[in-house]
Amino acid sequence: MPKIIDHDKRKQQIAEATWKVIAEEGIEQATVRKIAKATGLSAGALRHYFSTQSELLLYSMNLVSERVKERTMSKTYQGDPFDLVKDALSELLPIDDERRLEMEVWLVFSVKTLVEEKLRALSEDVYVEMKEGISAIIQLLVNLGLLKEECNPDEEAVRLHVLVDGLAVHHLLHPVSFPQQKMMDALEYHLKSICTF
Amino acid sequence: MPKIIDHDKRKQQIAEATWKVIAEEGIEQATVRKIAKATGLSAGALRHYFSTQSELLLYSMNLVSERVKERTMSKTYQGDPFDLVKDALSELLPIDDERRLEMEVWLVFSVKTLVEEKLRALSEDVYVEMKEGISAIIQLLVNLGLLKEECNPDEEAVRLHVLVDGLAVHHLLHPVSFPQQKMMDALEYHLKSICTF
């Protein structure tokens, strides 16, 4: 009987190996040859799944965004609205090893789009999705009557989006000067400043 | 008579050529060989100034931070405090081609520090300097009696630092979705929300 290979699962394993190489050695080291070695495949077998490095990168990066979305969607949000909103936003922050790896890889990839035009569309799509997700959180606060009256919902959505990304980048690049607790405190301070909790 | 070469000037020209290669082709392309070619020097002559790629990168990146400091210090700030603060913070944002190049290069370099430990000290030093600069701006607002009473100066310094970096990163990576005007509007909205202007 031929061995049954789950192609999707194999592709995800390859993508996860790609994340690891990017985080440990840099994106320029994420070559087909190197990833093949890391996953115990031949370069030829890896090319069966991804014929170019761009394809490999795009799939790997898309998987980051899928994982974040899956986690955000599958979560049961309960408790008071403040914890609910903080929890939802935490999914976009490097609060543990899993999310740290995903976000570090995503940051490296985003910066790579500055010189690799063909990677830009995915980065842009995810940017727009994240913007919409954050707008939805602000809208939820408006609907619950929790956003302070002096706050403009559109401006607050922009500010929160920029702030969440800024927090993630500060913690990823300066984990000692800007540890996780400081990141979470800053998020909490911000939410309290715009809400009537 | 031997040709007089201004060594500092030559080093700055080499650094500026390095910025250009980083912005156009990526940091992994900023090799001694390539930068030598871009500046019309032999690889040997370039090695006279910078014996390793790390030295070249560190000098080039330090020059980014020096330029920002020089500009910030030499500027005459006048007019009302709101414009003064907005002007000072604009020096940390990609508001024109010169600053865009500097900040793009700085972002690429910062991300590179994730995998290149020996570049990290400079990135950390500049981070701390920027943090102190932004704290000074918040302190100025406190001294002028312009920071709203409900605002905590320490927390506001953190929030402003994170926000300014977030604004720069959003505009650099998504110039179409997040154009310059949107970046400046978001900064203005934030300042108005914390100040009694």
Side-chain angles (χ1 to χ4, degrees), chain B:
Chain B
M1 228 179 91
K3 211 162 84 180
I4 295 164
I5 301 168
D6 180 332
H7 281 261
D8 278 348
K9 208 173 163 189
R10 175 58 61 83
K11 283 177 90 173
Q12 289 181 22
Q13 282 166 353
I14 296 169
E16 285 166 11
T18 306
W19 298 355
K20 219 165 156 260
V21 170
I22 292 175
E24 285 170 10
E25 303 176 54
I27 199 163
E28 69 274 20
Q29 294 299 316
T31 58
V32 166
R33 184 185 297 266
K34 195 148 210 163
I35 305 300
K37 210 177 153 196
T39 48
L41 292 168
S42 69
L46 198 137
R47 283 208 178 83
H48 172 69
Y49 296 100
F50 304 105
S51 58
T52 64
Q53 202 201 357
S54 287
E55 268 181 37
L56 170 64
L57 272 179
L58 286 174
Y59 180 87
S60 304
M61 293 309 125
N62 194 48
L63 189 62
V64 173
S65 127
E66 291 301 322
R67 288 278 166 89
V68 175
K69 271 186 271 180
E70 252 172 52
R71 241 182 1 238
T72 314
M73 299 302 180
S74 69
K75 221 166 152 175
T76 317
Y77 296 101
Q78 48 194 2
D80 68 44
F82 183 77
D83 290 335
L84 187 152
V85 167
K86 214 177 71 177
D87 265 26
L89 292 168
S90 299
E91 287 299 334
L92 307 171
L93 293 172
I95 52 168
D96 57 25
D97 289 346
E98 190 187 353
R99 288 162 182 80
R100 164 180 291 276
L101 176 62
E102 288 170 0
M103 281 161 207
E104 187 169 323
V105 163
W106 188 261
L107 176 61
V108 173
F109 167 75
S110 301
V111 167
K112 182 76 176 173
T113 67
L114 287 168
V115 289
E116 287 251 353
E117 210 173 328
K118 60 189 160 196
L119 303 179
R120 230 170 271 167
L122 174 63
S123 156
E124 202 55 32
D125 288 349
V126 172
Y127 181 76
V128 171
E129 277 173 13
M130 189 165 156
K131 192 172 111 177
E132 285 167 359
I134 287 182
S135 291
I137 289 176
I138 294 290
Q139 195 50 51
L140 176 73
L141 291 172
V142 173
N143 296 346
L144 293 171
L146 290 173
L147 194 74
K148 284 186 182 166
E149 243 182 44
E150 65 266 34
C151 293
N152 173 308
D154 291 340
E155 301 272 12
E156 290 304 339
V158 173
R159 179 158 68 155
L160 187 55
H161 188 186
V162 167
L163 196 87
V164 164
D165 279 347
L167 289 171
V169 169
H170 272 223
H171 179 55
L172 287 173
L173 295 179
H174 305 282
V176 177
S177 304
F178 197 73
Q180 191 176 316
Q181 190 57 50
K182 215 165 169 175
M183 173 176 81
M184 295 313 292
D185 288 350
L187 176 64
E188 203 159 308
Y189 179 80
H190 179 68
L191 291 177
K192 284 185 175 156
S193 82
I194 64 171
C195 290
T196 59
F197 287 122

